[in-house]
């Protein structure tokens, strides 16, 4: 029997079958979501070395570009030294990466573990001393017994919570190191894969362009490649600039806190450095645990630390950050706050970090589309032209 696929009823039947099968498949996946997620995770885990390799290659590419730029200023800028330049840039990039990792494990990590261990060991004594201060204060002054009971109860609950967090901090750190060690094989494979990616990066990029031009028409392919290039510029400018900015802030914090004799300087400087990568909220996120840690040792030093962190963030926000990142990312403070909140809600901690460059990319695309439509209608593209009330004259009439 020959089926007439052009028949309206046959077409409706096929679409109905596809929709029904999709719904059944969807409910089957939902009913065994944990098993499905585990199965997908097992398959995706095969790609972890390639994911690590891509991340390592992306990071080391910044070192490689920097080294190549320096070589282009010497006699090696001639084309006959192109292969030698690539080999030297690749070698120097990996040496710098190994040096940074070695510095972290040899100097920074032991200091962090030592600070966390000291905090865990001394925390019960700190809590006991502050409890005595609270009791002495409430005995020296007349308070309603209910107020005293409320303060003591809340403080005991807070002390117990913080004590539990601190006790779990050292195992969490050790667990992180252990998990990193268990992933060492994937990391090792990732390093090898990144070496291939960086050595043949021009070939990979050319192959990608070839595929895009083969699948799409030339105009759309050029548009896609332009968006890829814009994405690379925005993310690289933001991430590299923000990491460099955070390292500078962390070094300043380490030197200043050491000079002022603050407790747990390596741990607090590390917290400030890491959280400063998060725009807008980063300084506040880093200041809260740091103040609590210092408060247990000395409330007066905690107060001075707050003053210092406010001055440091003013220095970073008004001088260091703009010098490294530029005056702005092209969006107002409102949109920076909006992008962080939305991306953080959807993507978690990763959203707090990449939310701003992601929004800048989306914002630039939408802005380009809107301005193109306005140009086609003969309307002004500048935002200031729309500040006045009433009808906006087309650009041609405004010129006349």
């Amino acid at each position: 029997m020959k089926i007439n696929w052009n028949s309206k009823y046959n077409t409706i039947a096929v679409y109905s079958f596809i929709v029904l099968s999709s719904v059944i498949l969807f409910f089957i996946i939902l009913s065994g979501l944990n098993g499905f997620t585990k199965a997908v995770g097992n398959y995706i885990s095969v790609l972890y070395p390639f994911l690590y390799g891509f991340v390592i290659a992306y990071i080391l590419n910044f070192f490689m570009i920097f080294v190549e730029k320096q070589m282009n200023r010497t006699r090696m800028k001639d084309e006959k030294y192109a292969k030698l330049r690539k080999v030297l840039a690749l070698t120097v990039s990996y040496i710098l990466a190994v040096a940074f990792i070695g510095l972290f494990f040899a100097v920074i990590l032991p200091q962090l573990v030592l600070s966390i261990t000291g905090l865990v060991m001394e925390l019960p004594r700190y809590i006991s001393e502050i409890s005595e201060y609270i009791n002495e204060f409430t005995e020296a002054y007349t308070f309603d017994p209910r107020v005293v009971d409320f303060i003591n109860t809340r403080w005991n609950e807070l002390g117990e919570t913080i004590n539990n967090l601190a006790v779990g901090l050292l195992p969490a750190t050790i667990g992180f190191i252990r998990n990193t060690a268990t992933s060492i094989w994937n990391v090792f494979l990732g390093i090898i894969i990144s070496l291939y990616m960086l050595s043949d990066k021009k070939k990979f990029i050319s192959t990608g362009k070839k595929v895009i031009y083969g699948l799409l028409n030339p105009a759309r392919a050029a548009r896609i490649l332009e968006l890829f290039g814009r994405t690379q510029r925005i993310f690289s400018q933001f991430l590299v600039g923000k990491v460099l900015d955070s390292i500078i802030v962390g070094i300043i914090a380490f030197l200043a806190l050491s000079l002022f004799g603050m407790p747990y300087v390596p741990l607090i400087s590390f917290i400030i450095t890491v959280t400063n990568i998060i725009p807008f909220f980063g300084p506040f996120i880093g200041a809260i645990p740091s103040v609590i840690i210092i408060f247990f040792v000395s409330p007066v030093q905690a107060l001075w630390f707050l003053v210092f962190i406010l001055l440091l963030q003013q220095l970073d926000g008004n001088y260091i950050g703009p010098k490294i990142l530029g005056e702005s990312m092209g969006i107002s403070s409102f949109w920076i706050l909006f992008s962080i909140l939305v991306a953080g809600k959807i993507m978690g901690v990763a959203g707090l970090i990449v939310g701003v460059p992601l929004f800048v990319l989306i914002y630039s695309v939408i802005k380009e589309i809107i301005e193109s439509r306005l140009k086609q209608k003969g309307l002004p593209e500048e935002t200031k032209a729309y500040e006045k009330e009433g009808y906006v004259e087309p650009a041609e009439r405004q010129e006349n």
Side-chain angles (χ1 to χ4, degrees), residues 10 89 114 123 131 148-149 160 169 179 196 210 215-216 218 220 282 312 318 324 334-335 346 359 365 369:
N10 288 334
L114 186 62
L123 193 58
S131 298
V148 177
D149 291 339
E160 184 177 353
L169 191 59
N179 292 334
Y196 281 103
K210 178 181 177 181
L215 295 175
L216 304 173
R220 185 158 295 182
L312 179 61
N318 295 312
I324 296 175
F334 171 80
W335 291 119
I346 297 173
F359 183 83
V365 173
I369 294 173

Side-chain angles (χ1 to χ4, degrees), residues 212-317:
I212 292 174
Y213 274 106
L215 295 175
L216 304 173
N217 63 63
R220 185 158 295 182
R223 175 63 174 165
I224 294 295
L225 292 175
E226 191 275 330
L227 286 177
F228 279 141
R230 188 187 307 182
T231 304
Q232 160 65 13
R233 287 193 302 273
I234 292 174
F235 274 81
S236 61
Q237 176 189 359
F238 178 81
L239 294 177
V240 173
K242 200 61 183 170
V243 168
L244 181 59
D245 171 57
S246 298
I247 291 174
I248 294 174
V249 169
I251 293 173
I252 294 174
F254 179 82
L255 296 176
L257 294 177
S258 300
L259 181 64
F260 296 147
M262 292 285 181
Y264 306 110
V265 173
L267 178 60
I268 293 172
S269 301
F270 182 77
I271 293 173
I272 292 173
T273 302
V274 173
T275 56
N276 196 72
I277 296 176
I278 301 173
F280 200 85
F281 291 110
F284 303 101
I285 295 174
I288 291 173
S290 302
V291 168
I292 293 175
I293 292 171
I294 298 175
F295 179 81
F296 282 119
V297 180
S298 172
V300 176
Q301 284 186 315
L303 181 61
W304 282 113
F305 173 78
L306 276 177
V307 174
F308 165 73
I309 207 70
L310 288 174
L311 294 175
L312 179 61
Q313 294 309 320
Q314 288 297 315
L315 175 65
D316 179 38

Side-chain angles (χ1 to χ4, degrees), residues 60-74 76 84-97 201:
L60 291 183
N61 187 50
F62 296 120
F63 292 100
M64 195 170 176
I65 291 174
F66 174 77
V67 174
E68 286 178 339
K69 284 183 178 179
Q70 301 307 311
M71 290 182 179
N72 287 333
R73 297 177 181 177
T74 65
M76 297 181 64
L84 180 60
R85 281 202 311 268
K86 185 173 74 171
V87 173
L88 288 176
L90 199 60
T91 305
V92 172
S93 299
Y94 276 91
I95 291 175
L96 289 175
K201 64 178 181 179

Side-chain angles (χ1 to χ4, degrees), residues 237 316-333 336:
Q237 176 189 359
D316 179 38
N318 295 312
Y319 183 77
I320 300 176
K323 288 292 182 182
I324 296 175
L325 292 170
E327 292 301 321
S328 68
M329 290 294 292
I331 56 175
S332 65
S333 300
I336 292 177

